[in-house]
Amino acid sequence: MAAITRLLKPTSSISYLFSRSLSSTTTTNAVISEIESNRPNLSDPKGSRNFQWVFLGVPGVGKGTYASRLSTLLGVPHIATGDLVREELSSSGPLSRQLAEIVNQGKLVSDEIIFDLLSKRLEAGESKGESGFILDGFPRTIRQAEILDEVTEIDLVVNLKLREDVLVEKCLGRRICSQCGKGFNVASINAKAENGRPGMSMAPLLPPSHCASKLITRADDTEEVVKERLRVYHEKSQPVEGFYRDQGKLMEFDLPGGIPESWPKLLEALNLDEYEVKRSAVA
Ligand code: ADP
């Protein structure tokens, strides 16, 4: 983690990052080799450091939901670059207006701005004693993936997948509590079986009563902008899947439905089902 925060300093230019000869943290070799054999053994994950994972997936797939649950389970911070962008947007900082224009058109923010926001977040976390991370929404371009690769070692990349026809509906149903920042979804999805594909239902993820009156919708969760974000994902972010596939770090996970069906299956795929049982037993 120290390496990544040092190299992603707010003052660092991207060319500086590129030109720097970079040291990486120790690889958890056991973990990587298990992933390569498609049998992740993550229940005893720690080598000399904590988990360093990445969550990939199209807008609306549920990266935030599952990354946040896993971060609680594993005791590492969930760092979503989309959240960092939104925090900056809601501040009255100089970047705010420039960012609003980009985000509300469904485009990607420049790598420089993202590295700046990410490095500040990592530094703040490090000073509080955080270690490891689950990154969500980063890297989103091959360039971001290459730079990340130069500054630290990623152990595992989870690529969440969901049938495309429900994604727009899911994005339009998303709500955030303006007070606590938690995400919810008011959409009730009932996708029919077709072309040999099974049907899929996803119950809404409704807020508790203390959040219900404080829900807001993201300005970029309109149908037009969501469609543009999906297009941008396919053009700029999908190649990142191949980048990690070639490294043997990509774990594809097809979400079978909503959280009640998907969460236990995801834990099983990650070999963390026992981990959760053990953790809840000692809690
Ligand atoms: P999504 O639901 O599309 O996954 P996010 O919350 O991750 O949305 O991101 C919201 C917006 O923030 C993106 O559409 C983009 O404009 C910006 N953003 C977030 N992460 C990145 C990144 N790694 N690179 C460039 N832009 C980003």
Side-chain angles (χ1 to χ4, degrees):
M1 187 96 129
I4 190 168
T5 50
R6 198 170 55 246
L7 289 158
L8 301 180
K9 281 258 187 258
T11 47
S12 306
S13 71
I14 292 290
S15 57
Y16 168 70
L17 292 174
F18 270 124
S19 62
R20 185 76 200 238
S21 108
L22 304 145
S23 63
S24 65
T25 46
T26 324
T27 314
T28 314
N29 287 324
V31 173
I32 304 296
S33 58
E34 291 289 343
I35 292 159
E36 279 164 353
S37 64
N38 281 329
R39 197 170 43 83
N41 180 6
L42 306 167
S43 47
D44 182 20
K46 293 176 199 166
S48 57
R49 59 156 171 75
N50 223 331
F51 298 93
Q52 299 195 161
W53 289 8
V54 163
F55 264 66
L56 299 180
V58 285
V61 74
K63 296 183 296 290
T65 303
Y66 295 102
S68 147
R69 285 180 160 234
L70 280 169
S71 96
T72 307
L73 182 67
L74 302 174
V76 293
H78 164 217
I79 301 178
T81 45
D83 289 346
L84 302 180
V85 167
R86 279 183 290 280
E87 268 165 39
E88 190 65 35
L89 268 177
S90 63
S91 74
S92 50
L95 268 182
S96 173
R97 195 177 313 158
Q98 192 191 338
L99 282 179
E101 213 166 291
I102 301 168
V103 174
N104 293 340
Q105 285 176 16
K107 308 285 186 221
L108 292 186
V109 170
S110 74
D111 292 340
E112 284 77 3
I113 294 176
I114 290 295
F115 277 110
D116 182 13
L117 296 175
L118 184 58
S119 59
K120 283 181 187 153
R121 168 63 187 82
L122 288 167
E123 273 187 337
E126 202 178 18
S127 67
K128 286 190 291 184
E130 278 180 3
S131 70
F133 48 74
I134 298 181
L135 294 176
D136 154 7
F138 180 92
R140 236 177 170 99
T141 62
I142 289 284
R143 189 166 176 238
Q144 291 179 4
E146 285 170 350
I147 294 172
L148 182 63
D149 230 27
E150 286 173 14
V151 297
T152 196
E153 188 87 42
I154 296 301
D155 307 319
L156 174 70
V157 179
V158 180
N159 187 27
L160 292 184
K161 289 158 66 176
L162 186 64
R163 45 187 286 186
E164 289 252 337
D165 57 335
V166 303
L167 290 169
V168 175
E169 213 181 325
K170 269 198 77 200
C171 283
L172 299 184
R174 289 204 289 209
R175 300 290 181 273
I176 300 173
C177 172
S178 55
Q179 194 163 43
C180 71
K182 278 212 178 108
F184 304 99
N185 205 306
V186 297
S188 182
I189 310 257
N190 273 305
K192 291 197 195 89
E194 54 182 26
N195 302 332
R197 250 185 344 194
M200 174 180 280
S201 324
M202 293 170 96
L205 176 59
L206 297 174
S209 56
H210 54 274
C211 296
S213 60
K214 301 175 192 111
L215 297 188
I216 50 167
T217 305
R218 277 168 51 172
D220 58 342
D221 273 345
T222 63
E223 187 162 353
E224 195 193 348
V225 179
V226 168
K227 285 187 174 157
E228 175 61 8
R229 278 160 51 211
L230 288 169
R231 191 195 65 72
V232 169
Y233 183 88
H234 291 304
E235 183 190 320
K236 304 259 174 64
S237 307
Q238 205 150 14
V240 176
E241 297 172 13
F243 179 90
Y244 288 118
R245 189 177 293 115
D246 292 347
Q247 295 186 358
K249 294 181 181 174
L250 192 76
M251 191 193 92
E252 310 267 14
F253 185 78
D254 276 295
L255 290 157
I259 299 172
E261 302 84 35
S262 302
W263 176 240
K265 290 234 157 52
L266 179 61
L267 289 179
E268 206 180 304
L270 290 167
N271 228 351
L272 285 173
D273 37 355
E274 300 237 333
Y275 194 82
E276 184 175 56
V277 172
K278 275 187 217 146
R279 288 242 330 183
S280 37
V282 290

